Amino acid sequence: MTKPVFRFAPSPNGRLHLGHAYSALLNDTLARRLNGRFLLRIEDIDITRCRPEYESAIDEDLRWLGLEWEKPVRRQSEYFADYRKTFQALKGKGLAYPCFCSRKEIAQKIEAVEAESGKEWPRDPDGAPLYPGICRKLSDDEAARRIEAGEPHAWRIDMQAARQLLPGPHTFTRFTLDGDEEIAEADPWRWGDAVIVRKDVPTSYHLSVVLDDALQGVTHVVRGQDLEAATDLHVLLQKLLELPTPRYHHHGLILDPGGDKLAKSRKSEALHELREQGVTPAEIRQRLGFQPTPST
Ligand code: GLU
């Protein structure tokens, strides 16, 4: 039997905080428990926000916590060609269309529809309004002409076409930390025509993560509850691309003393600050509910 594969996949766009430590330690603990492998993946497709110094800091913080992972580490920014190929496969099946809209145009369209109907336009699980389909109506000729003219554009998944091809139900296995498993049903349609290739980079979080988990043979995805809804879209993409679906566990988020989610952007207590204050890795493990030293 092949070994279970776990991964921790941070983005180097800030310093790691206790929430990251929890996620990384949990992946490592479960990998050890199942005699599996533990990988680190650097999710740096956002080339304007990610910086090499944050990547070195991830390395330093995780090593300080006592973690070890397999080398070489997959760095997403080195694989744009792979993501492009994967996107071409979706496009080849008629499952994607180019979108030239700016955020402002989308917001204006939704405002107009809401004003006319008096009803709130539906939102995706992240709270963003579903794309109102403006560019889905463009003819192939017009889309090709605008691309040819160099007009900036993203690519969206065509959920109508996807649903026709694979109506579902789309199921996946969810597991608990006690090892129990259950079959869950994904509801990808609630994302609407999500962006699968961004305007600024030739991929998106969703597309890259799905391809990388498959290429790296990830069998168990363990990540925060903030990404739970994204799994629905990932499961659909896996089925459309004929990739395996890993098992999923979404862990609770570590909150700050005020009950808010920790965030790099809010400068939540970073691991390196705790280290500078004299906190030890054993204390971090204990605070997060892990054994003081990695159990083998
Ligand atoms: N790169 C994502 C993040 O830092 C995590 C992606 C994942 O675990 O699927 O939030």
Side-chain angles (χ1 to χ4, degrees):
M1 215 179 88
T2 53
K3 284 187 168 195
V5 182
F6 291 77
R7 88 312 194 262
F8 174 58
S11 296
N13 55 13
R15 297 299 303 247
L16 298 186
H17 52 59
L18 276 178
H20 298 107
Y22 180 74
S23 209
L25 287 167
L26 186 58
N27 271 286
D28 177 68
T29 303
L30 295 174
R32 284 170 190 278
R33 194 186 288 167
L34 295 181
N35 189 26
R37 297 164 55 203
F38 173 61
L39 312 179
L40 172 68
R41 183 167 73 225
I42 298 296
E43 302 214 323
D44 61 346
I45 60 165
D46 199 334
I47 39 190
T48 52
R49 288 175 61 225
C50 293
R51 299 211 213 114
E53 56 270 31
Y54 288 136
E55 191 184 321
S56 335
I58 287 173
D59 201 78
E60 191 180 318
D61 288 344
L62 295 181
R63 275 193 287 122
W64 175 70
L65 281 175
L67 292 168
E68 282 170 26
W69 53 91
E70 289 182 16
K71 309 277 175 346
V73 167
R74 186 171 172 96
R75 189 180 292 115
Q76 291 189 324
S77 59
E78 291 169 3
Y79 294 94
F80 285 134
D82 285 4
Y83 307 131
R84 211 184 299 262
K85 235 193 270 165
T86 306
F87 159 66
Q88 293 295 345
L90 283 178
K91 189 171 157 237
K93 294 183 183 181
L95 296 170
Y97 64 87
C99 175
F100 303 90
C101 294
S102 62
R103 265 185 215 176
K104 194 165 156 203
E105 264 172 280
I106 298 174
Q108 281 171 346
K109 170 79 182 172
I110 286 161
E111 237 173 77
V113 176
E114 284 184 337
E116 208 185 288
S117 66
K119 279 198 243 135
E120 210 198 347
W121 183 258
R123 302 292 198 259
D124 73 16
D126 286 345
L130 294 190
Y131 179 64
I134 305 165
C135 288
R136 177 169 343 143
K137 299 179 193 97
L138 296 179
S139 68
D140 289 352
D141 281 354
E142 181 176 357
R145 185 185 52 72
R146 289 171 73 171
I147 291 174
E148 189 68 21
E151 218 180 297
H153 59 282
W155 287 84
R156 291 182 179 274
I157 182 163
D158 184 336
M159 283 297 198
Q160 276 178 13
R163 201 169 192 161
Q164 245 165 31
L165 188 68
L166 293 181
H170 297 299
T171 56
F172 64 100
T173 303
R174 215 159 31 200
F175 66 98
T176 67
L177 298 184
D178 298 326
D180 293 333
E181 296 193 343
E182 63 171 11
I183 302 294
E185 191 174 328
D187 175 10
W189 322 119
R190 62 188 170 138
W191 285 98
D193 289 355
V195 169
I196 47 165
V197 172
R198 289 164 35 164
K199 254 184 203 168
D200 55 342
V201 285
T203 185
S204 62
Y205 159 62
H206 302 302
L207 194 68
S208 316
V209 91
V210 159
L211 181 68
D212 286 354
D213 283 340
L215 288 181
Q216 296 190 289
V218 172
T219 56
H220 293 69
V221 172
V222 175
R223 58 187 177 194
Q225 265 164 4
D226 51 342
L227 290 170
E228 187 158 15
T231 299
D232 291 7
L233 186 52
H234 299 176
V235 170
L236 176 68
L237 288 171
Q238 286 148 4
K239 312 239 154 151
L240 293 170
L241 291 162
E242 295 168 54
L243 299 173
T245 293
R247 289 166 155 65
Y248 286 89
H249 174 78
H250 296 96
H251 59 74
L253 300 177
I254 304 294
L255 304 177
D256 68 16
D260 287 321
K261 188 181 142 186
L262 299 178
K264 288 174 191 154
S265 53
R266 281 209 317 277
K267 303 243 175 305
S268 299
E269 217 168 35
L271 292 177
H272 75 106
E273 283 166 12
L274 294 166
R275 180 162 70 236
E276 280 149 27
Q277 288 161 22
V279 177
T280 66
E283 282 163 346
I284 302 262
R285 283 177 183 266
Q286 195 189 22
R287 189 160 151 186
L288 295 173
F290 294 96
Q291 303 278 334
T293 49
S295 54
T296 42

